[in-house]
Amino acid sequence: MNVVINLNNVVQNLKKYSKQTVNIIAVSKTFSLNEIRPLIDFGHIHFGENRVNEAIDKWSKIIIHDTKIQLHLIGRLQSNKVADALRIFSYIHSLDSIKLAEKLSFEQERTQKYLKYFIQVNFENEKQKGGIPEDQIKEFLNFCRITKKLNIVGLMCIPPIDKPPELYFQKLQSLAKINNVPELSMGMSSDYIKAIEFGSSFIRIGSLIFGNRK
Ligand SMILES: *Cc1c(COP(=O)(O)O)cnc(C)c1O
């Protein structure tokens, strides 16, 4: 498993299929630093984790020395982990409740650490997933931006597994356009080529780079 070659295959595909700039988030959840290290040495910038504690254990020392690395939280954030999340992450892709927005805003002011946020959209109101229903995005976005002064850079979605993902990539693209949100976090190992057709700017790639998770 050569993670640098795997990453480069994705880069080549992006060159072939996309006109815009696409950021590759290497999703390193469950993998050890030894497995991730070749990508760090290669100079890769964006890495994704889905658990706050795992990210702190793995990345705390690394980001002190390698200040250009940007960590993305792509999993659910519990409000009791907000202070820890602000210490380690540059982006949070799973902003999905009033309570979380309030806590993030409060802790940002307290710690003077300001992150970039994606609001997660839950198009089919799937119970096992986080996210705000489509029809509440406008209101939630205004609340986050205006009332809570959070820097919302984009929208994020994880399409239902049993439906064609392009349906949801298209929905997310138009929802972002209507609401003046520049970035789109969509597309994983199995569907990123489709996601970039609909303007994705942050793809989240795990298994194609690191192999299957245990
Ligand atoms: C694990 C995960 C990914 C990466 O999935 P792969 O199929 O391994 O590329 C992307 N997004 C989220 C939210 C994840 O939890």
Side-chain angles (χ1 to χ4, degrees), residues 27 29 74 156 158 188-189 204-207 213:
V27 177
K29 64 187 185 194
I74 59 171
M156 177 272 215
I158 308 168
M188 309 179 14
S189 291
R204 310 180 305 263
I205 308 293
S207 45
R213 289 176 291 273

Side-chain angles (χ1 to χ4, degrees), residues 49-187:
E49 293 284 344
N50 67 339
R51 296 201 168 149
V52 177
N53 288 352
E54 182 184 342
I56 288 176
D57 290 346
K58 249 151 66 174
W59 291 98
S60 291
K61 287 211 184 85
I62 303 282
I63 59 172
I64 292 169
H65 296 108
D66 201 333
T67 50
K68 71 177 188 325
I69 286 183
Q70 313 256 293
L71 295 181
H72 297 250
L73 179 64
I74 59 171
R76 243 179 166 163
L77 177 58
Q78 288 166 333
S79 47
N80 65 339
K81 293 278 164 64
V82 162
D84 288 336
L86 288 182
R87 277 174 29 221
I88 192 112
F89 290 103
S90 300
Y91 291 79
I92 289 175
H93 291 239
S94 49
L95 177 52
D96 69 352
S97 75
I98 299 265
K99 189 179 162 204
L100 191 54
E102 282 174 335
K103 189 77 195 274
L104 285 164
S105 177
F106 179 83
E107 288 291 331
Q108 280 202 155
E109 293 308 321
R110 191 179 69 80
T111 60
Q112 298 286 296
K113 181 108 190 345
Y114 299 91
L115 272 52
K116 293 174 181 157
Y117 299 96
F118 287 83
I119 292 173
Q120 186 173 349
V121 185
N122 191 336
F123 286 108
E124 301 289 358
N125 301 320
E126 293 176 280
K127 291 209 171 54
Q128 75 280 20
K129 280 180 191 157
I132 301 279
E134 188 178 359
D135 61 358
Q136 293 168 29
I137 287 297
K138 193 177 191 60
E139 196 186 352
F140 185 65
L141 188 61
N142 282 337
F143 174 77
C144 291
R145 278 182 164 163
I146 298 164
T147 314
K148 291 297 152 189
K149 309 263 191 297
L150 296 175
N151 183 11
I152 310 296
V153 298
L155 301 180
M156 177 272 215
C157 77
I158 308 168
I161 45 169
D162 54 345
K163 304 243 174 60
E166 50 270 43
L167 205 74
Y168 300 94
F169 296 155
Q170 182 162 32
K171 281 174 186 265
L172 200 69
Q173 183 181 40
S174 37
L175 197 58
K177 197 171 278 173
I178 293 168
N179 288 290
N180 265 318
V181 189
E183 310 290 346
L184 289 172
S185 166
M186 59 190 197

Side-chain angles (χ1 to χ4, degrees), residues 197-212:
E197 280 175 40
F198 294 95
S200 179
S201 55
F202 285 84
I203 55 174
R204 310 180 305 263
I205 308 293
S207 45
L208 265 190
I209 294 174
F210 295 105
N212 289 327

Side-chain angles (χ1 to χ4, degrees), residues 4-20:
V4 174
I5 290 178
N6 294 346
L7 174 72
N8 266 319
N9 287 335
V10 177
V11 171
Q12 293 311 317
N13 273 335
L14 293 182
K15 282 201 183 126
K16 197 151 71 177
Y17 295 107
S18 81
K19 291 161 239 61
Q20 77 273 20

